Amino acid sequence: MARTASLSGFPEWLPEERLVEQHVLDSLRRTFELHGFGSIETRAVETVGQLLRKGEIDKEVYGLSRLQDDEGEEAKGKHDPHALALHFDLTVPFARYVVENAGYLAFPFRRYQIQKVWRGERPQEGRAREFTQADIDVVGDGELPFRYDVEIALVIAEALGALPIPEFRLRINNRKLAEGFYRGIGLPDTAGVLRSIDKLEKIGPDKVAELLKSELGATDEQAQAALKLAGIKTEDTSFVAQVRSLGVSNDLLEEGLNELEQVIEAAVKRVPGKVIADLSIARGLDYYTGTVVETVLVGHEQLGSICSGGRYDALASKGNRKFPGVGLSIGVTRLVSRILSQDLAKASRAVPTAVFVALTSDESWGEAQDVATELRSRGIAAEVAAKAEKFGKQIKFADRRGIPFVWFTDEDGKHQVKDIRSGVQVDADPATWTPSDEDIHVQVVAAPAS
Amino acid sequence: MARTASLSGFPEWLPEERLVEQHVLDSLRRTFELHGFGSIETRAVETVGQLLRKGEIDKEVYGLSRLQDDEGEEAKGKHDPHALALHFDLTVPFARYVVENAGYLAFPFRRYQIQKVWRGERPQEGRAREFTQADIDVVGDGELPFRYDVEIALVIAEALGALPIPEFRLRINNRKLAEGFYRGIGLPDTAGVLRSIDKLEKIGPDKVAELLKSELGATDEQAQAALKLAGIKTEDTSFVAQVRSLGVSNDLLEEGLNELEQVIEAAVKRVPGKVIADLSIARGLDYYTGTVVETVLVGHEQLGSICSGGRYDALASKGNRKFPGVGLSIGVTRLVSRILSQDLAKASRAVPTAVFVALTSDESWGEAQDVATELRSRGIAAEVAAKAEKFGKQIKFADRRGIPFVWFTDEDGKHQVKDIRSGVQVDADPATWTPSDEDIHVQVVAAPAS
């Protein structure tokens, strides 16, 4: 960001920055829809009871109250489960939506959802209080074939690959693999082990080993085995042999190995270089039950994960009916902030307008509008001058707004169009003249890698 | 709405309803951008001080507080001017944005803004607590030529005209005209007169006359003159002669007559049948200083205005620097709710997917993905079956999701595609086969007028 947000943690973009964000959002939408994901939006507001059901730490949540309350809502108190609050992600609201609308949806239900979410955390680089997420999920009714785990990783790799961002890597692991392994080496508190392993990047292997020993009663051998597993990172399916060489045997481990192998195998073939098997990925305390994913932007590792998620076998349920799902969430604001702050991509101009129609006289406004209407009917964005100032002044006006072409019509009705970057002026017919593909719409292009 | 929102006043759409909303939003965006309006978004959150600056009734505003507050924000109290609250429209945040970013914007600044806003009002038909507005404004630095008032009315008429909605009418008046007239007949409290005239549709002319007499000390003659003015409604510029025939003379009145004449003259020519001069339009207590607009959906008058706004000479200011503007705001949720509840338009299918690629065997998933990739590379949305069930079951699956085509590849690599609506199955090549224009993308079409 060139400027400082006037409210810390609530970024706002200038028009030319917003064009970059729009490009990112349009590109994501296009990829998602090409893969058959339909859009939904959920309300920004959930009940506090709904939001805290999954045990999320409540300090991140913004509660709502009407400034002048005359219906006793305030009396509820903001911790009342019926009180209203802003959603902090799109997964919890989506789970509620699926349960509420199960009778109207065709399963497996594929949806994308691009919306703002709010978290009252302390703002820092890569962490805003209001930010946009772009989620895709596939949710089944009762069961959901594992193949969707493979598919969703491919869709996200394709979606991220179409954005004007540096190289990225999906780091993929599988909870079954990790949990089966821990059980196989005699550490039954698998959640506890995952919690410690999750701290690997922050505190290093020695301290993790200490934690495993002091908090989970692991032997030195067990701690070293868990760390060896977490140390496995491969760009192909060779992780399978590496895990097997550790000599641990467990059914859940086998299931996890098989699942992760399928994901990596398909990714190596279909999106080469975008995915690695990374057995250190734990995804903290989240509700994942199989595949887990984090995504790093190469060269921007300190930004944190730009896309995370995985498989959850019971995100939502309605009585005995369970809705397993698999999904991934892209941190759009985190990505766009980085693109803008490091000039990774730029809009070719600051406005949608391609042509500024100049006025010869104040009375010619109607004819100028006719020219603009003709251009617009062919998809060329055009605006008309409001005043018949000197041509030099009108050209300067267009230039200041970043508009590439100025249109002139003389008193005999002869049309000319000037490319104000090159100064080249040519005869033109409003019914046929068309700017180049680069100029007709705003282009957002990645900066050449430095 | 087919269903009841699970939280009153917070509507959510099913996927096929969301497609209608997306169509409306895409269409508005397209028209706005063709006319050179660029997108901005402002944060959802403003300070209470900013929101209440214009004297808005504070009972409509949702205040925010972090559920677990450990930084003393709560201590501020929700009426503290630095406390945070959700915006209730897009005009007040836009004014703040213009002032904060004036140094980075090129004036006159043309922007559109499509976002959710929140009002804690009692929900009723056409009035939600969370809803989407689509605003366009042109804002000048110091001055803004009147011509933009004409232009913005034309742009909005074109934008609404491109939507799948019934006939609409922009009802346009001018504050200068009304205020000049009231002064001309000796009623200097023009705001008071406007307030009474604003009640005309609700309480009728007799009660408005009483109000004018009892509250503003108007004579019977003055009250009748004010009512006569408000009774003038013309589809062309003949309102000018009708006003003149009332025999009132005032400079501001003349200025207003001239301005309104310019708007109506251009509209009659460029968007015939969409606009009327309606001298009863007052726009309540708002900050308008010239052109004022309300919009009625013909046959749905009780829905209220679907698009309102006008000219404001000092929406924003920064020291001595003033930013006059003119803008209009479309009530997207109000429109979409009505489209859906009355089946005014429908999506041609419930999902973006055009082609469902069936599996011959579980092992053929990779080849099926190749077919889908080929189709997607040509802009055809495709998804692949997750399981090699019997073809009948796979066709039923596609049918249930509303997908029109199913793709089959036999063991010899021969491709066929079946239109499951007609049952017609033909040979096809994934590199060249293309659905009809009606089928390649979801279409949203207006229902034939009944």
Side-chain angles (χ1 to χ4, degrees), chain A residues 368-383:
Chain A
Q369 283 290 351
D370 291 338
V371 170
T373 300
E374 185 90 51
L375 293 172
R376 287 180 202 123
S377 73
R378 297 187 294 112
I380 303 163
E383 59 185 82

Side-chain angles (χ1 to χ4, degrees), chain B residues 1-37:
Chain B
M1 286 165 270
R3 302 153 307 115
T4 311
S6 63
L7 210 56
S8 175
F10 294 88
E12 287 182 332
W13 309 130
L14 291 171
E16 59 270 34
E17 296 173 327
R18 168 68 178 158
L19 285 165
V20 173
E21 182 176 58
Q22 279 187 302
H23 173 81
V24 167
L25 296 173
D26 290 345
S27 176
L28 293 176
R29 174 180 171 182
R30 183 176 154 80
T31 306
F32 297 159
E33 291 183 353
L34 278 174
H35 286 266
F37 290 81

Side-chain angles (χ1 to χ4, degrees), chain B residues 432-449:
Chain B
T432 55
W433 177 85
T434 301
S436 71
D437 285 354
E438 287 75 45
D439 284 333
I440 189 164
H441 297 121
V442 178
Q443 306 281 313
V444 173
V445 280

Side-chain angles (χ1 to χ4, degrees), chain A residues 117-132:
Chain A
V117 304
W118 294 267
R119 295 185 192 175
E121 292 174 287
R122 197 177 288 275
Q124 47 180 286
E125 155 101 86
R127 202 177 287 279
R129 292 183 153 192
E130 173 177 80
F131 55 100
T132 299

Side-chain angles (χ1 to χ4, degrees), chain A residues 303-325:
Chain A
L303 190 60
S305 177
I306 56 155
C307 174
S308 311
R311 157 75 69 149
Y312 34 86
D313 275 338
L315 176 76
S317 57
K318 193 177 187 175
N320 283 332
R321 198 170 165 193
K322 283 212 165 116
F323 301 95

Side-chain angles (χ1 to χ4, degrees), chain A residues 3 6 12-13 26 29 39 41 43 58 63 65-68 96-97 101 116 120 270 370, chain B residues 3 6 12-13 18 26 29 41 43 58 61 63 65-66 68 96-97 101 116 120 270 362 370:
Chain A
R3 301 152 310 116
S6 63
E12 287 182 331
W13 309 130
D26 290 345
R29 173 179 172 183
S39 170
E41 287 195 341
R43 48 179 151 82
D58 67 350
S65 59
R66 288 166 58 237
L67 284 197
Q68 186 172 310
R96 174 193 52 75
Y97 178 95
N101 297 295
K116 297 214 168 80
R270 311 197 77 86
D370 291 338
Chain B
R3 302 153 307 115
S6 63
E12 287 182 332
W13 309 130
R18 168 68 178 158
D26 290 345
R29 174 180 171 182
E41 288 196 340
R43 47 177 150 85
D58 67 350
V61 175
S65 59
R66 288 166 57 236
Q68 185 173 310
R96 175 195 50 76
Y97 178 96
N101 297 295
K116 298 216 170 75
R270 311 197 77 87
D362 275 329
D370 290 339

